[in-house]
């Protein structure tokens, strides 16, 4: 699907422009403390002309036939950029989750790729132990591929979820 750069996009988030829109698809998850699972997911990236993107994601667990079993994670936040004017941006991401976490991430975007690492995690009294993670988003053949590695519940940083999403 063709993508057109919005005329009112702030230059500081231009290296993130490829993310704009709605993405849907399927992914997989695994971790030593849980059973492997499959999920459906929708990511939405929007902007209003200021130097940030708004991000919203929701996921649902699916069975072997791809049918929805139950709702799963929801996260929302903001990606703030500072562009060098040459196609690269330093990125700050602020996220909150329905599972009781708030996070600050830092990283870099360029060439259809966004890499982020947590700098800080806060959690509510009822949230599971979660220490941090890394995220990699990439534009691969027009699709959004991502991987999320997690450090939680006494485990070292390791793969947790990964997905391939198509522009809706």
């Amino acid at each position: 699907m063709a993508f057109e750069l919005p005329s009112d996009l702030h230059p500081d988030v231009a290296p993130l422009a490829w993310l704009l829109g709605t993405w849907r698809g399927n992914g997989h998850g695994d971790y030593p403390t849980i059973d492997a699972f499959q999920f459906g997911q929708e990511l939405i990236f929007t902007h209003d002309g200021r130097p940030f993107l708004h991000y919203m994601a929701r996921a649902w667990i699916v069975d072997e036939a791809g049918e929805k079993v139950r709702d799963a994670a929801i996260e929302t936040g903001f990606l703030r950029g500072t562009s060098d004017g040459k196609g690269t941006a330093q990125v700050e991401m602020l996220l909150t989750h329905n599972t009781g976490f708030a996070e600050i991430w830092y990283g870099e975007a360029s060439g259809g790729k966004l890499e982020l690492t947590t700098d800080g995690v806060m959690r509510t009294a009822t949230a599971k132990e979660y220490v941090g993670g890394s995220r990699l988003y990439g534009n691969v053949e027009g699709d959004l591929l991502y991987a999320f590695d997690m450090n939680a519940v006494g485990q070292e940083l390791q793969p947790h979820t990964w997905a391939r999403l198509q522009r809706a």
Side-chain angles (χ1 to χ4, degrees), residues 95-160:
L95 279 182
T96 57
H97 304 259
N98 65 313
T99 52
F101 302 104
E103 301 169 283
I104 297 174
W105 298 75
Y106 288 106
E108 186 173 281
S110 69
K113 182 170 85 171
L114 171 62
E115 290 186 79
L116 298 161
T117 303
T118 50
D119 182 61
V121 176
M122 295 184 346
R123 62 181 193 265
T124 63
T126 58
K128 291 181 180 177
E129 178 200 359
Y130 166 64
V131 178
S134 66
R135 292 178 181 229
L136 174 62
Y137 297 84
N139 184 331
V140 179
E141 300 171 347
D143 289 347
L144 188 157
L145 274 63
Y146 82 85
F148 168 50
D149 293 353
M150 183 171 72
N151 177 304
V153 292
Q155 303 294 313
E156 296 294 322
L157 184 68
Q158 59 190 288
H160 175 47

Side-chain angles (χ1 to χ4, degrees), residues 6-163:
S7 61
D8 63 342
L9 185 69
H10 194 285
D12 280 349
V13 292
L16 298 166
W18 67 273
L19 289 166
L20 288 170
T22 300
W23 301 85
R24 293 188 187 106
N26 297 300
H28 302 274
D30 198 1
Y31 209 65
T33 60
I34 60 173
D35 292 333
F37 60 95
Q38 295 181 50
F39 61 93
Q41 188 168 43
E42 177 181 70
L43 305 183
I44 302 169
F45 294 88
T46 63
H47 79 98
D48 65 6
R50 292 183 281 174
F52 63 84
L53 303 184
H54 177 247
Y55 165 77
M56 196 325 212
R58 64 186 187 98
W60 51 94
I61 303 299
V62 297
D63 62 19
E64 293 297 323
E67 297 297 319
K68 181 179 175 179
V69 174
R70 69 177 186 284
D71 288 316
I74 299 174
E75 57 186 26
T76 190
F78 300 92
L79 290 96
R80 298 162 29 103
T82 304
S83 177
D84 66 2
K86 299 175 184 173
T88 300
Q90 297 305 307
V91 179
E92 305 168 348
M93 186 174 189
L94 298 91
L95 279 182
T96 57
H97 304 259
N98 65 313
T99 52
F101 302 104
E103 301 169 283
I104 297 174
W105 298 75
Y106 288 106
E108 186 173 281
S110 69
K113 182 170 85 171
L114 171 62
E115 290 186 79
L116 298 161
T117 303
T118 50
D119 182 61
V121 176
M122 295 184 346
R123 62 181 193 265
T124 63
T126 58
K128 291 181 180 177
E129 178 200 359
Y130 166 64
V131 178
S134 66
R135 292 178 181 229
L136 174 62
Y137 297 84
N139 184 331
V140 179
E141 300 171 347
D143 289 347
L144 188 157
L145 274 63
Y146 82 85
F148 168 50
D149 293 353
M150 183 171 72
N151 177 304
V153 292
Q155 303 294 313
E156 296 294 322
L157 184 68
Q158 59 190 288
H160 175 47
T161 58
W162 55 96

